Amino acid sequence: MDNWIILGIQTTVSTVAYALIFFWYVQPRIAKLPFETAVTPMLLVHLFRFAGFTLLVVGQTDPSVARSTLEAIAYGDMLATISALVAVLALRARSSFAVPLIWLFTIIGFADLANVGRLALDADLFNHYVGVMWLVAIAFFPVVIISHLYIVYRLLNKGSDDLEMRTATG
Amino acid sequence: MDNWVILGLQFTVSALASGLIFFEYVLPRLAKLSFESAVLPMLLVQAFRFTGFTLLVTGQSDPAIPQDALSQMAWGDYASAVTALLAAYAVWRQPRIAVPLIWLFVIVCVGDLLNVTRIIFEIDFFSYDIGSTWTFLMWFLPWVVISLFYILYRLFNKAPKVTE
């Protein structure tokens, strides 16, 4: 069986499992919370995207995969991690920049995901040895997608107005 | 980029993220709990150190790594996991011997961490392929350190924090 098919089967089941957990246990709790309290844990999930940097570790990936491909994926993930960190710190500090920074993180995060998808297909990445990144792909990637979508949902169905009002009034 | 630099970057962000989660969500709950209730989940975190035994699995680490070094790291982690489990059981069912067993765990755990650090530098451990142990290091090690420090903190400050 082709590695992509295995990955597809695994990530499909993983995504369904995480979605059930999210809709049954997480969403009912955070739906009642204000924007700041609900979005903070979702941003914290993205701090663990530094895992993508493992692709650059000697021995963790097939040396025949182009270094430029691995670097583009690794640095994209690290950039998403750092933008999530800046956004979560701004949110905790109730900065007036918090909402724009969350939007910036969202743009960087989705751009990185799109770029990773393109690079992985171009390089046929998952038909090469990718070490522990396989585990990251099947166990962590669905959580990244779900939390990203929930952050966008809360940005569009604010409650962040509350935050903007509170930061404006000090 | 050198494996050490990558690990340094990943561990820094991981420690920061785990620290934020601990101080934001875990500590406020633990602080209000009795010594036993607060220490138990932290000991259970340490019970997952059996993962260090993966180093001995054929194919999971570079065969060029000295077997003695791998054995010392694997068995040290396993001893920490077992003593943590014993301490957790005592906290749950035998409170009279809980504190001495927690101290025993702390001694074994700190001894293991010091020994592992010494070995890592001696054999330039991270320049080898260490398979899935890399995941353990970047995601789990910060929680090992955080939970160890919190256990130590509560050993010296047994009473819960009373909130106004």
Side-chain angles (χ1 to χ4, degrees):
Chain A
M1 196 183 287
D2 183 76
N3 281 2
W4 284 98
I5 296 173
I6 298 171
L7 184 76
I9 292 169
Q10 289 186 306
T11 47
T12 302
V13 178
S14 178
T15 305
V16 171
Y18 282 123
L20 288 175
I21 292 168
F22 180 78
F23 285 112
W24 287 350
Y25 300 105
V26 182
Q27 204 262 346
R29 284 176 173 78
I30 59 176
K32 298 171 202 152
L33 299 176
F35 178 80
E36 176 192 335
T37 321
V39 166
T40 298
M42 298 292 115
L43 284 169
L44 287 173
V45 166
H46 291 267
L47 298 194
F48 292 90
R49 280 171 76 169
F50 66 82
F53 231 62
T54 309
L55 285 170
L56 299 182
V57 175
V58 176
Q60 284 286 342
T61 38
D62 189 331
S64 70
V65 180
R67 194 73 186 163
S68 58
T69 299
L70 298 177
E71 282 179 349
I73 298 173
Y75 284 105
D77 271 342
M78 193 53 102
L79 188 61
T81 303
I82 292 166
S83 60
L85 177 63
V86 172
V88 81
L89 291 176
L91 195 57
R92 287 295 295 145
R94 300 184 175 215
S95 160
S96 55
F97 293 111
V99 172
L101 283 170
I102 297 169
W103 272 114
L104 176 67
F105 152 72
T106 301
I107 292 163
I108 291 172
F110 275 117
D112 171 56
L113 291 176
N115 192 41
V116 167
R118 182 185 66 81
L119 289 167
L121 287 171
D122 278 356
D124 195 18
L125 184 69
F126 289 105
N127 274 324
H128 294 82
Y129 174 68
V130 291
V132 296
M133 282 309 291
W134 190 277
L135 185 67
V136 174
I138 60 169
F140 183 55
F141 184 69
V143 182
V144 166
I145 299 286
I146 290 169
S147 54
H148 243 319
L149 292 175
Y150 189 74
I151 290 168
V152 172
Y153 171 78
R154 288 302 293 254
L155 280 166
L156 296 176
N157 300 275
K158 286 266 173 90
S160 64
D161 292 340
D162 299 344
L163 177 77
E164 280 156 7
M165 279 171 61
R166 270 186 281 134
T167 51
T169 55
Chain B
M1 194 183 285
D2 185 54
N3 281 5
W4 283 90
V5 178
I6 297 170
L7 185 73
L9 284 171
Q10 289 189 310
F11 187 78
T12 303
V13 180
S14 183
L16 203 57
S18 306
L20 281 172
I21 292 168
F22 179 77
F23 285 107
E24 180 73 22
Y25 300 105
V26 183
L27 183 63
R29 287 172 173 79
L30 293 184
K32 294 176 204 156
L33 300 177
S34 65
F35 171 74
E36 292 80 8
S37 305
V39 162
L40 188 56
M42 297 290 104
L43 286 168
L44 291 177
V45 168
Q46 300 283 340
F48 285 86
R49 284 174 69 175
F50 64 82
T51 44
F53 225 63
T54 310
L55 283 170
L56 298 182
V57 175
T58 306
Q60 279 290 338
S61 37
D62 192 329
I65 304 175
Q67 192 64 32
D68 176 55
L70 293 177
S71 294
Q72 281 191 50
M73 290 193 275
W75 283 107
D77 265 343
Y78 203 74
S80 302
V82 170
T83 51
L85 271 178
L86 284 174
Y89 178 78
V91 168
W92 181 43
R93 282 284 185 246
Q94 304 286 334
R96 274 190 311 112
I97 56 167
V99 172
L101 281 175
I102 296 171
W103 274 114
L104 174 68
F105 154 72
V106 169
I107 291 163
V108 171
C109 174
V110 172
D112 170 56
L113 290 176
L114 290 174
N115 190 42
V116 166
T117 307
R118 179 188 64 81
I119 293 170
I120 281 171
F121 283 103
E122 259 179 31
I123 64 170
D124 195 14
F125 183 63
F126 295 117
S127 61
Y128 295 98
D129 176 14
I130 54 167
S132 61
T133 301
W134 193 276
T135 321
F136 168 82
L137 288 169
M138 66 176 181
W139 274 346
F140 184 54
L141 188 59
W143 287 102
V144 167
V145 176
I146 289 170
S147 54
L148 174 64
F149 275 109
Y150 189 72
I151 290 167
L152 269 171
Y153 171 78
R154 287 304 293 259
L155 278 167
F156 290 108
N157 302 275
K158 292 206 175 65
K161 280 244 162 67
V162 181
T163 46
E164 298 286 320

